[in-house]
């Protein structure tokens, strides 16, 4: 979407906008013809139009010692060269304009001629399709009467007439200037827009009035707005005003840059100081959760140990009497004998919370080593003990074999 162009006019000592109100910021300024120094100039193809027109405008400027910022708009190109409309705004005559712009907080980006915008808006009524025709156009404004001598669509003379001037005399001078610039041609008609007193002008040519509507300024500013989009249109913005505009734009960009930099700096500071703070909060929360989980884990573990302890002591299969009965039943009997040839001399039963240290340890004597090993194998295969350790057998008096047996309910972990 194209950026909206704000166009304002300075007429009658005040600023007048194209829309409903003036918005502070940048705007295109349209000025009455009487505020500018304007002249039609012919230049060759090799000449610089601004350089050629600067001397001519300086000679007719009411401020001869003031340098002018000249702008040129090409209105026609021929084999011999170009016809340009040269214009400049003397800063010495623009103090009231600058004060009004400062009060409205407006920075001017371009200066155009208000009557050129009005002439564009009236062109469909002005042109009748004829060629080789010279017309005198009078546009009535608040500050001046803008006079254009047009050869078809090319201005040959441009003049601003104040209310105090002699209109017939100014028309005569303008026609002479047009003949000197564009050659001798008969004046076909006089065209007026606005409340123009044409008394005494009927002797030059017939008079035709154009309808401008109720709001002449709006018509003119719309034409200026259209001209703003054309790169070839003139721009009479003084150099000092252009410097102020560039400085204002630079300050605006600097302010925006500083705002962005400040935001980035604030974000960096937030990261530098905020992240450790948030990380600390998260760490404290995590520690609290870990402590709570540890407390709950210890509580569950204690309950589990109590349950296991109750189950362990409720398990009669590993009780002292059941274990003694199991061991007694596994004593081997020799063939053809009703009693075992193994005698147990000591018995030590242990039942603790840790099954790896729970079990029974006993000593005994046997008639032979084969009976000892047979007894050990029976204990290992009974399913009650996970670990059965044998120490011995060793011979004692009477030819008997002494042994020690250590039976545990669970295997002992090896270090």
């Amino acid at each position: 979407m194209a950026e909206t162009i704000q166009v304002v006019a300075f007429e009658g000592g005040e600023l007048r906008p194209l829309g409903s109100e003036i918005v502070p910021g940048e705007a295109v300024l349209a000025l009455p013809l009487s505020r500018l120094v304007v002249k039609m100039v012919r230049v060759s193809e090799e000449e610089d139009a601004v350089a050629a027109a600067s001397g001519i405008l300086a000679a007719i400027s009411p401020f001869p010692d003031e340098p002018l910022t000249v702008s040129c708009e090409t209105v026609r190109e021929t084999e011999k060269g170009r016809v340009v409309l040269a214009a400049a705004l003397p800063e010495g005559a623009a103090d009231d304009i600058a004060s009004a712009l400062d009060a409205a907080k407006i920075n001017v980006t371009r200066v155009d001629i208000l009557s050129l915008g009005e002439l564009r808006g009236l062109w469909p009524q002005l042109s009748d399709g004829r060629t080789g025709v010279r017309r005198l156009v009078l546009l009535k404004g608040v500050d001046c009467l803008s006079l254009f001598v047009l050869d078809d669509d090319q201005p040959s003379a441009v003049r601003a007439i104040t209310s105090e001037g002699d209109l017939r005399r100014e028309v005569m001078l303008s026609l002479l200037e047009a003949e000197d610039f564009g050659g001798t041609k008969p004046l076909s008609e006089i065209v007026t827009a606005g409340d123009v007193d044409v008394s005494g002008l009927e002797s030059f040519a017939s008079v035709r009035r154009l309808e401008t509507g109720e709001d002449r300024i709006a018509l003119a500013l719309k034409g200026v707005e259209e001209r703003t989009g054309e790169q070839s249109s003139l721009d009479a913005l003084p150099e000092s005003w252009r410097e102020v505009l560039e400085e204002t734009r630079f300050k605006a960009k600097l302010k925006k840059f500083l705002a962005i930099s400040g935001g980035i700096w604030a974000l960096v500071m937030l990261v530098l100081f905020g992240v450790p703070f948030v990380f600390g909060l998260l760490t404290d929360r995590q520690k609290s959760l870990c402590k709570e989980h540890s407390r709950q884990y210890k509580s569950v573990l204690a309950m589990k140990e109590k349950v296991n302890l109750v189950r362990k002591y409720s398990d009669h299969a590993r009780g002292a009497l059941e274990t003694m009965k199991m061991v007694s039943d596994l004593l081997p009997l020799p063939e053809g004998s009703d009693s075992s040839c193994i005698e147990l001399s000591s018995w030590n039963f242990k039942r603790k919370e840790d099954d790896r240290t729970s079990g029974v340890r006993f000593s005994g004597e046997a008639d032979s080593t084969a009976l000892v090993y047979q007894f050990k194998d029976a204990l290992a295969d009974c399913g009650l003990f996970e670990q059965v350790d044998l120490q011995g057998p060793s011979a004692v008096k009477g030819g008997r074999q002494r042994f020690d047996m250590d039976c545990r309910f669970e295997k002992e972990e090896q270090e």
Side-chain angles (χ1 to χ4, degrees):
M1 180 181 294
E3 185 179 356
T4 303
I5 302 172
Q6 181 177 205
V7 183
V8 296
F10 185 84
E11 190 178 45
E14 62 179 359
L15 292 174
R16 302 182 61 180
L18 175 58
S20 58
E21 60 180 358
I22 298 176
V23 180
E26 297 184 354
V28 174
L29 178 63
L31 296 177
L33 191 60
S34 59
R35 289 285 186 164
L36 298 101
V37 181
V38 183
K39 188 71 174 178
M40 299 302 302
V41 180
R42 291 185 184 274
V43 295
S44 63
E45 289 294 337
E46 296 78 14
E47 280 186 293
D48 180 57
V50 173
S54 295
I56 298 174
L57 294 185
I60 62 175
S61 173
F63 304 92
D65 296 332
E66 180 182 318
L68 299 177
T69 304
V70 179
S71 177
C72 296
E73 178 178 338
T74 301
V75 297
R76 177 167 294 181
E77 293 186 3
T78 65
E79 296 179 355
K80 298 180 180 180
R82 292 174 293 161
V83 177
V84 298
L85 174 63
L89 173 62
E91 295 185 47
D95 291 340
D96 56 339
I97 301 175
S99 299
L101 293 172
D102 291 339
K105 298 180 180 180
I106 293 294
N107 292 317
V108 179
T109 61
R110 179 174 170 271
V111 174
D112 202 350
I113 301 175
L114 185 62
S115 55
L116 290 181
E118 185 178 359
L119 192 64
R120 171 170 289 207
L122 296 173
W123 194 260
Q125 301 181 56
L126 183 63
S127 177
D128 56 6
R130 291 182 297 169
T131 58
V133 175
R134 173 168 289 174
R135 293 183 177 90
L136 176 66
V137 181
L138 299 174
L139 304 178
K140 179 64 175 178
V142 177
D143 295 333
C144 68
L145 180 67
S146 300
L147 183 152
F148 295 89
V149 178
L150 301 178
D151 292 340
D152 294 335
D153 59 349
Q154 172 195 311
S156 294
V158 180
R159 185 183 295 267
I161 304 173
T162 60
S163 58
E164 294 81 7
D166 183 355
L167 181 58
R168 182 177 175 83
R169 176 177 177 277
E170 294 294 338
V171 168
M172 179 66 70
L173 292 176
S174 299
L175 292 175
L176 291 175
E177 181 182 347
E179 288 186 5
D180 182 57
F181 187 83
T184 303
K185 292 181 182 179
L187 183 64
S188 63
E189 62 176 346
I190 299 175
V191 183
T192 66
D195 186 15
V196 181
D197 184 7
V198 294
S199 301
L201 299 183
E202 295 86 349
S203 59
F204 292 103
S206 61
V207 178
R208 178 164 62 99
R209 295 186 179 273
L210 302 179
E211 295 295 331
T212 60
E214 296 181 359
D215 195 347
R216 179 189 61 86
I217 287 293
L219 176 68
L221 290 181
K222 286 181 180 179
V224 173
E225 184 180 37
E226 293 177 3
R227 285 172 49 80
T228 300
E230 302 172 357
Q231 295 182 354
S232 59
S233 58
L234 63 85
D235 178 10
L237 183 68
E239 185 62 30
S240 62
W241 290 20
R242 193 180 305 276
E243 292 175 357
V244 172
L245 174 63
E246 293 176 354
E247 182 180 354
T248 304
R249 287 178 173 177
F250 173 77
K251 289 181 179 179
K253 291 180 180 179
L254 180 60
K255 185 182 295 185
K256 184 177 180 181
F257 173 76
L258 292 177
I260 295 175
S261 300
I264 295 175
W265 180 83
L267 181 61
V268 171
M269 292 299 102
L270 179 63
V271 172
L272 289 178
F273 295 101
V275 170
F277 176 74
V278 173
F279 182 76
L281 292 179
L282 294 176
T283 302
D284 293 341
R285 175 175 173 78
Q286 193 64 32
K287 287 181 179 179
S288 300
L289 291 176
C290 289
K291 289 180 180 179
E292 181 65 20
H293 291 167
S294 177
R295 186 187 65 78
Q296 294 178 2
Y297 172 77
K298 290 179 180 179
S299 176
V300 172
L301 184 61
M303 182 61 67
K304 181 180 179 182
E305 290 176 352
K306 291 179 182 179
V307 170
N308 291 336
L309 183 62
V310 172
R311 286 179 178 177
K312 187 175 295 184
Y313 282 100
S314 299
D315 186 8
H316 298 291
R318 293 187 178 184
L321 294 177
E322 287 76 7
T323 303
M324 181 176 289
K325 182 179 181 301
M326 175 67 74
V327 173
S328 299
D329 291 341
L330 294 176
L331 290 173
L333 297 175
E335 296 180 2
S337 175
D338 295 334
S339 61
S340 174
C341 293
I342 296 179
E343 294 179 0
L344 301 180
S345 59
S346 66
W347 180 271
N348 186 8
F349 179 82
K350 293 181 181 180
R351 185 67 183 272
K352 297 183 178 180
E353 294 182 8
D354 187 1
D355 284 340
R356 290 189 295 272
T357 61
S358 299
V360 61
R361 184 178 180 85
F362 54 87
S363 303
E365 294 181 359
D367 290 342
S368 64
T369 58
L371 290 175
V372 175
Y373 287 113
Q374 183 181 352
F375 184 37
K376 176 184 179 298
D377 293 339
L379 290 173
D381 296 336
C382 70
L384 180 62
F385 305 111
E386 292 290 334
Q387 181 176 342
V388 178
D389 296 329
L390 172 64
Q391 295 181 2
S394 59
V396 296
K397 292 180 180 182
R400 295 177 68 82
Q401 300 293 324
R402 181 176 178 79
F403 64 90
D404 295 316
M405 199 80 70
D406 187 5
C407 303
R408 298 176 183 249
F409 293 125
E410 289 187 6
K411 289 184 178 181
E412 185 179 4
E413 293 183 355
Q414 298 295 328
E415 295 184 359

